[in-house]
Amino acid sequence: LTPPSALSSPHSKEEFAVGQTIKHDNHTGRWLSTFMARWHPSMDIFVVGSMQKPRRLQFFGPCKGAFKLQAAVSGDTVSAVSSRNCFHRTEPVAAGGNASGRVVIF
């Protein structure tokens, strides 16, 4: 994934080519859609679903030079794995959806 700041930055791509591994439970098996992390359109944060129970959406962002878990959203409405997630372009809204068509908006 390439953060939005790297795409519009005057810096060279090499400055953003540092690799980082983030532990994340994304072993979905064969009956679920694969996870797809999505960047916020204007901030250096991304959202991804999780297999952890209770089910949740996880938000990762920069912290002390590395990307780390910043927040996790769960609740009664998040009853299934949200393998597809996105941010609204201009509003402070995130949405998560699953293979059955259920969408939860935060």
Side-chain angles (χ1 to χ4, degrees):
L1 292 173
T2 303
S5 63
L7 300 175
S8 61
S9 173
H11 303 287
S12 67
K13 258 187 168 178
E14 288 76 27
E15 291 182 58
F16 295 97
V18 178
Q20 178 186 347
T21 302
I22 298 173
K23 281 194 167 238
H24 184 264
D25 183 3
N26 60 3
H27 183 73
T28 61
R30 62 180 179 174
W31 302 112
L32 292 175
S33 302
T34 56
F35 284 109
M36 295 183 81
R38 289 289 182 236
W39 286 102
H40 189 281
S42 61
M43 297 170 50
D44 285 345
I45 60 172
F46 64 89
V47 62
V48 65
S50 176
M51 292 294 292
Q52 292 178 335
K53 292 183 182 179
R55 301 300 188 205
R56 65 192 73 195
L57 273 69
Q58 295 179 318
F59 297 85
F60 291 84
C63 179
K64 298 180 182 176
F67 274 84
K68 296 185 179 179
L69 180 64
Q70 300 296 320
V73 179
S74 62
D76 295 338
T77 57
V78 186
S79 58
V81 176
S82 294
S83 56
R84 299 292 192 264
N85 305 285
C86 65
F87 289 100
H88 191 277
R89 292 182 135 213
T90 58
E91 301 296 323
V93 175
N98 65 25
S100 300
R102 183 181 178 99
V103 176
V104 181
I105 300 173
F106 298 97

